[in-house]
Amino acid sequence: MDLKNIINKTVVTPKSKIWTKYIRFILPIILFLVLGMNIAIYKIVSKNIVNNTMEMAFQSVNIQSDNISNIIYRYIDDLDVLKSYYNPNDINGFIDKTNAMLYNHTNEWAYLRITTPDGQTWTNYTREDTVNTKIRKYFREIFIEKKDISFRMSHHTDIIKDDIFSVTIPVKDNHNGEIIASLSSTFSTKKMDQMLEKLKVHGHGFVALIDENLNMRVLLNDCYNTTAMEMEKKGNEGFYKLCHDFINGYKTLGRGEYYNQKDGSIIAYMAKIKGTRWFVCINITNSALNASVRLTLKIIIALAILILILIVISIKIVTDKYVLKPLENINTLATDLSKGELTSSDRIKKAKFKSNDEFSELYDKLLTMQDHLVDIVKNIKEYTEEFTDKTMDWAHSVRTVADDAKTQQTAVEEISESMDKIIESIKETGDKSQKTKDDSESIANDIQEITNSSENSLIYLKNVLTKIKIINEITTRTDLLAINAAVEASRAGDNGKGFAVVAAETVKKVSTSLCRYKPLLW
């Protein structure tokens, strides 16, 4: 595997690799952190919601109890003013006077009732009243129990055909302190209902104004009159006992819980009205409270999802800008380097890094490496060109040497052929020399025979002459061979010296042999 393939395998696509790692590893961590943070926030917020709801409920019932108390005592103050004008001997005159006073009064009076100890009643609305007051609560409390104030829960009256509240005070004789009458201020339930409206609970639950006998003015969908016992019978288990315990207790604020078959557990927040034994009660179902908590949870989850999306988008933007984009440039540069394109990334050089970080340093080092590679390639190119020139010179020299070698080879081949010829000639010369020797010995024998036999002398002489011719011919040829060997030896230079020596020796031996037989020939 070559270097290019290795680099190509190490070059990655940053967007497909790093972002996948971010999503695979960082996102679960973020999810875990956000989930943990949401659980912690939810517990804290849900606890705060319950505590805040409780605190707000107590504040609300306490504030509205004060407001209701103020409304009641405003009417009491008006009655204190009116009773100073009471004249038991001129009740009609008192009624006329009170009508004139109440006409421009800020309080919205329904009517004023005047009651005497014998049970006779009058109103400024109808004059003489036919109601049997002796069975009324206020008559018992004022004339029998001798109380200073009597409050009556909302009730229906046929005089104005509406529901009213009433507060009654005694009128005493200035001389003996005996109760000579009672004045009752009756007013519409509108003001009290407005107070209950301000305490209205959204969802399940109700608001109530309750007296000491557990008679109630209830606001559920509408305002109406009922009792705690009736509420108990309608499925509010434990409500009557809760109200009874609170009204007979010493606390001004209270909290209790009872159960409704339809709405489940209900929490009651109660506050007593100052100067009375009445109290205001806010009843909130746990489901409504849990709905608030669930709403908070939904909001937290929505915010968590939004935060998570914003975090992912932020990571994406930051990663693209400060990680993936630099890595893409680095990757492109590395890819160009892996492909051997050392000058194709000029466009990337223009994309300068705005921050001095590790990516910028890496990119600068890659650019420096690219510059070094370019210099190395230039140097290699120069060395290659120089080497090419020298190689061409070497090739020329080699060709010259080859030509010389070829010439020498031809010469050697010629010398070899000449040597073969010389060897053959030498061999032939040796054979002829041997033959000459044999002939010489034969001639000597013949001469001996000539001397021994004169009659064969002429024949032997002819034979001698013939052989002499042969010897001359051999000598001539030997000289030619010697000359040829000398020529070839001169051509071959040092390699031919041996041939020259052999040729000279051959000529010498032949001459010696001829000289040896020369006297015999003459």
Side-chain angles (χ1 to χ4, degrees):
M1 184 180 292
D2 57 3
L3 179 61
K4 184 176 181 181
N5 291 332
I6 295 174
I7 296 178
N8 284 333
K9 286 190 175 182
T10 58
V11 174
V12 298
T13 304
K15 290 185 177 180
S16 63
K17 298 292 184 181
I18 292 181
W19 185 242
T20 302
K21 290 182 179 179
Y22 274 15
I23 294 299
R24 184 179 300 172
F25 297 106
I26 296 180
L27 187 58
I29 295 174
I30 296 175
L31 285 172
F32 178 77
L33 293 176
V34 172
L35 181 61
M37 181 181 66
N38 287 339
I39 293 174
I41 292 174
Y42 171 71
K43 288 185 176 180
I44 295 172
V45 171
S46 61
K47 184 177 180 180
N48 288 337
I49 287 175
V50 174
N51 293 335
N52 291 337
T53 302
M54 183 186 301
E55 184 177 352
M56 289 176 63
F58 280 134
Q59 289 179 354
S60 297
V61 295
N62 195 30
I63 291 172
Q64 297 310 324
S65 68
D66 289 341
N67 292 335
I68 292 173
S69 178
N70 291 334
I71 292 173
I72 292 174
Y73 276 92
R74 281 206 307 269
Y75 284 101
I76 292 174
D77 291 340
D78 289 340
L79 290 176
D80 285 336
V81 174
L82 291 176
K83 73 179 182 179
S84 63
Y85 298 106
Y86 176 73
N87 185 355
N89 298 320
D90 187 12
I91 293 179
N92 288 326
F94 175 73
I95 291 175
D96 292 337
K97 192 172 184 178
T98 55
N99 280 333
M101 294 178 63
L102 298 177
Y103 180 78
N104 295 320
H105 204 279
T106 56
N107 285 332
E108 296 179 2
W109 292 64
Y111 56 88
L112 176 68
R113 173 176 274 133
I114 305 165
T115 306
T116 58
D118 58 3
Q120 189 177 1
T121 64
W122 293 265
T123 70
N124 65 334
Y125 191 81
T126 60
R127 297 290 173 166
E128 188 172 355
D129 192 6
T130 59
V131 174
N132 184 7
T133 58
K134 289 187 178 181
I135 64 172
R136 302 296 180 182
K137 173 187 175 184
Y138 76 89
F139 187 88
R140 184 184 71 254
E141 291 180 341
I142 296 299
F143 291 102
I144 298 175
E145 298 177 4
K146 307 297 182 179
K147 291 184 177 181
D148 292 331
I149 299 174
S150 176
F151 300 100
R152 188 178 179 187
M153 182 55 63
S154 63
H155 56 282
H156 187 77
T157 177
D158 291 331
I159 295 177
I160 62 173
K161 308 297 182 183
D162 197 3
D163 291 337
I164 59 170
F165 286 93
S166 65
V167 55
T168 303
I169 63 172
V171 179
K172 296 180 180 181
D173 189 341
N174 293 330
H175 298 288
N176 55 20
E178 292 291 331
I179 298 174
I180 58 176
S182 69
L183 297 179
S184 298
S185 173
T186 62
F187 52 93
S188 172
T189 59
K190 184 172 75 171
K191 282 185 179 285
M192 296 296 190
D193 292 344
Q194 287 176 352
M195 297 296 104
L196 297 180
E197 284 285 347
K198 292 179 180 179
L199 292 172
K200 186 176 182 180
V201 180
H202 297 285
H204 300 287
F206 60 90
V207 183
L209 177 61
I210 306 173
D211 68 4
E212 69 274 19
N213 295 320
L214 303 185
N215 297 310
M216 301 171 60
R217 179 71 175 176
V218 175
L219 171 62
L220 187 56
N221 296 322
D222 296 316
C223 288
Y224 60 92
N225 297 326
T226 186
T227 64
M229 185 60 70
E230 290 177 355
M231 294 295 292
E232 180 91 16
K233 291 178 180 179
K234 290 180 180 179
N236 297 294
E237 300 176 6
F239 181 71
Y240 180 84
K241 183 178 184 301
L242 180 66
C243 294
H244 182 271
D245 293 342
F246 179 72
I247 202 68
N248 294 302
Y250 296 100
K251 294 181 179 180
T252 57
L253 293 175
R255 177 180 180 272
E257 188 173 355
Y258 60 95
Y259 183 79
N260 182 277
Q261 294 178 353
K262 179 181 178 181
D263 299 325
S265 178
I266 300 176
I267 301 174
Y269 300 92
M270 298 165 286
K272 288 184 179 179
I273 298 173
K274 295 178 182 178
T276 71
R277 295 188 68 193
W278 293 14
F279 64 93
V280 182
C281 180
I282 297 177
N283 300 271
I284 303 174
T285 63
N286 264 331
S287 59
L289 185 61
N290 292 332
S292 301
V293 175
R294 286 193 298 270
L295 178 61
T296 303
L297 178 60
K298 291 178 181 178
I299 294 173
I300 291 174
I301 292 174
L303 289 175
I305 294 173
L306 180 61
I307 291 172
L308 181 62
I309 292 173
L310 292 176
I311 289 174
V312 172
I313 292 174
S314 300
I315 291 176
K316 177 67 174 174
I317 294 173
V318 172
T319 303
D320 285 342
K321 184 175 181 181
Y322 296 104
V323 178
L324 295 182
K325 187 62 177 178
L327 279 182
E328 184 178 358
N329 293 334
I330 293 171
N331 185 64
T332 303
L333 181 58
T335 303
D336 291 341
L337 292 175
S338 68
K339 293 179 180 178
E341 298 175 0
L342 301 181
T343 59
S344 63
S345 57
D346 293 337
R347 56 185 176 82
I348 303 177
K349 293 181 180 179
K350 296 179 182 178
K352 296 180 179 179
F353 290 90
K354 295 182 179 180
S355 59
N356 295 324
D357 53 15
E358 289 80 0
F359 293 113
S360 178
E361 294 178 0
L362 177 60
Y363 188 74
D364 291 338
K365 289 178 181 179
L366 283 175
L367 291 178
T368 303
M369 183 181 73
Q370 184 187 33
D371 294 336
H372 287 328
L373 288 175
V374 171
D375 294 337
I376 291 171
V377 171
K378 288 181 180 179
N379 293 331
I380 291 174
K381 184 178 179 182
E382 293 175 357
Y383 293 151
T384 302
E385 291 177 352
E386 183 179 356
F387 181 75
T388 302
D389 294 337
K390 292 183 177 180
T391 302
M392 292 177 67
D393 294 338
W394 291 344
H396 180 69
S397 299
V398 169
R399 284 197 298 271
T400 303
V401 172
D403 292 339
D404 293 340
K406 187 175 181 180
T407 302
Q408 291 180 0
Q409 182 181 3
T410 304
V412 170
E413 289 177 354
E414 291 178 355
I415 293 171
S416 177
E417 292 177 358
S418 299
M419 288 299 296
D420 292 337
K421 291 180 181 180
I422 291 171
I423 291 171
E424 290 178 358
S425 298
I426 292 172
K427 185 177 180 181
E428 185 178 354
T429 302
D431 293 338
K432 289 182 178 181
S433 297
Q434 185 65 35
K435 186 178 180 180
T436 303
K437 181 179 178 182
D438 294 338
D439 290 341
S440 299
E441 291 177 355
S442 179
I443 291 169
N445 292 329
D446 289 340
I447 292 172
Q448 186 65 35
E449 289 179 0
I450 291 171
T451 57
N452 293 327
S453 180
S454 57
E455 56 184 36
N456 292 328
S457 297
L458 183 61
I459 298 170
Y460 286 125
L461 183 59
K462 289 181 180 179
N463 289 331
V464 169
L465 291 174
T466 303
K467 292 178 180 180
I468 287 171
K469 289 181 181 179
I470 293 170
I471 291 170
N472 288 333
E473 184 178 355
I474 290 170
T475 301
T476 302
R477 290 184 180 181
T478 301
D479 292 334
L480 289 174
L481 288 174
I483 292 169
N484 289 331
V487 171
E488 293 300 330
S490 64
R491 289 182 180 178
D494 294 336
N495 294 327
K497 290 181 179 181
F499 298 114
V501 173
V502 173
E505 287 294 323
T506 303
V507 172
K508 184 177 179 182
K509 287 183 179 181
V510 172
S511 298
T512 304
S513 298
L514 292 175
C515 290
R516 184 184 300 169
Y517 294 112
K518 216 171 187 181
L520 297 176
L521 295 175
W522 299 102

